Amino acid sequence: MFRKLDWFQWGLIVFLTLFSAGMLLPIVYIFNHAFKPLHELLLFPPTFIVRDPTFQNFAELMSLTQNTFVPASRYLFNSVVVTFLATIGMVAVGSLCAYPLSKHRFPGNKLFFGAILLSLLFATETIAIPRYIVVRSLGIMNSYWGHVLPMIALPVGVFLLKQFMDQVPDELIEAAKIDGASETALFVRIVLPLVKPAMATITIIAFQTAWGNTETSTLFMQDDSMKTLPFYLSTLTSGLANSVARQGAAAAGALILFVPMLIVFLLNQRKFIATMAHSGIK
């Protein structure tokens, strides 16, 4: 096999291998950075590989809340619950919204889809005040619903799933209807299995969105016991008189935030690549 490759193909393989290794460097760095002792964190010029690894940064991260009302474990628990509920909600709502837009023709079909596409143009800051008013009116401040509901609508998820569902043959849907399949059976047993790659991609996007979210904790949670880990980590080095304190804890926190996202991506990477490969095929 390798003997049949010409010089260009060999050069391409070498280039892509080096390029892939270069893309791994940030991951290697964030792992090494979290285990550096304080004197290595502040070393100039900075070192890439840790020389004297230590778990002190993680111990410092946990100990910072020992004398406070809310322990760090509570922030972590809130993040796990919110991320789990929000991810399921975003995938479910996106699928239920994309299916009728793709496979049903009703008045205003294109108008609704156009409105969803238009919502992609709005930055998060532009809708912060309307979203706050809605959450307060619903009476879900300082609750898990206040975290989850503002994130449920994921326009990019609806768009991607709709485009993928467009590729499901209408003849297959019609044949199932003739055989007596209900609308629920069509959706659950035919359409969803055919769009698994897109759903895996939406799962990755939804998880990253929910796991790293600080907006809901900042705007809708006045009770510290309802705030999440990303918000707590964002406060570690803010408002300090110098930029040296808590750098080790911040490095450990960055790794804790990164590892779950890496795991979710690795578990869904094949379907994610399949989505990118087939998203333009009709």
Side-chain angles (χ1 to χ4, degrees):
M1 176 181 177
F2 290 103
R3 293 179 180 178
K4 296 180 180 180
L5 299 177
D6 57 28
W7 64 270
F8 176 78
Q9 292 171 324
W10 276 110
L12 188 61
I13 291 174
V14 172
F15 171 76
L16 291 178
T17 301
L18 294 175
F19 186 74
S20 300
M23 296 184 68
L24 287 175
L25 291 180
I27 299 178
V28 175
Y29 178 79
I30 196 172
F31 274 90
N32 279 271
H33 196 65
F35 292 97
K36 288 181 180 179
L38 185 60
H39 67 273
E40 286 192 41
L41 287 171
L42 304 177
L43 192 64
F44 185 84
T47 57
F48 192 83
I49 302 298
V50 57
R51 299 172 182 172
D52 186 19
T54 178
F55 286 94
Q56 182 59 37
N57 295 334
F58 297 92
E60 180 186 357
L61 179 64
M62 295 296 112
S63 65
L64 287 175
T65 57
Q66 284 184 349
N67 298 323
T68 61
F69 177 73
V70 183
S73 57
R74 176 66 185 186
Y75 295 115
L76 179 60
F77 174 79
N78 289 341
S79 286
V80 172
V81 172
V82 169
T83 302
F84 177 76
L85 296 176
T87 301
I88 293 178
M90 282 187 272
V91 174
V93 171
S95 302
L96 291 170
C97 182
Y99 176 65
L101 289 173
S102 175
K103 295 304 176 184
H104 291 271
R105 300 295 179 264
F106 56 88
N109 181 297
K110 294 183 178 180
L111 180 63
F112 280 111
F113 186 58
I116 292 173
L117 294 180
L118 184 64
S119 66
L120 293 172
L121 301 177
F122 290 93
T124 305
E125 293 77 12
T126 61
I127 59 175
I129 294 178
R131 184 177 290 179
Y132 176 84
I133 294 174
V134 171
V135 171
R136 187 182 62 178
S137 301
L138 292 174
I140 56 176
M141 304 280 284
N142 291 314
S143 69
Y144 288 122
W145 288 115
H147 281 292
V148 175
L149 287 183
M151 293 190 288
I152 285 292
L154 187 66
V156 67
V158 177
F159 170 74
L160 185 58
L161 284 167
K162 193 264 183 188
Q163 298 302 101
F164 234 78
M165 289 180 183
D166 285 346
Q167 301 174 33
V168 178
D170 292 335
E171 292 78 7
L172 182 62
I173 304 294
E174 294 299 327
K177 288 182 179 179
I178 294 174
D179 289 339
S182 64
E183 201 68 50
T184 302
L186 288 173
F187 177 67
V188 176
R189 300 179 61 182
I190 296 178
V191 175
L192 289 186
L194 292 175
V195 297
K196 281 184 178 179
M199 293 187 67
T201 301
I202 300 307
T203 300
I204 295 174
I205 297 174
F207 183 88
Q208 291 179 341
T209 301
W211 181 251
N213 181 270
T214 59
E215 179 190 5
T216 54
S217 295
T218 304
L219 296 179
F220 312 136
M221 305 296 142
Q222 285 77 42
D223 188 353
D224 284 345
S225 63
M226 289 304 301
K227 296 181 178 181
T228 57
L229 184 64
F231 174 84
Y232 165 64
L233 296 178
S234 69
T235 64
L236 287 180
T237 57
S238 63
L240 297 179
N242 60 73
S243 58
V244 176
R246 300 180 182 176
Q247 288 299 321
L255 180 62
I256 292 175
L257 283 182
F258 173 73
V259 168
M261 291 190 286
L262 178 63
I263 294 174
V264 170
F265 176 78
L266 292 177
L267 291 175
N268 295 278
Q269 63 172 329
R270 290 187 178 180
K271 293 178 180 177
F272 177 80
I273 295 173
T275 303
M276 298 299 102
H278 293 88
S279 60
I281 299 176
K282 297 294 182 183

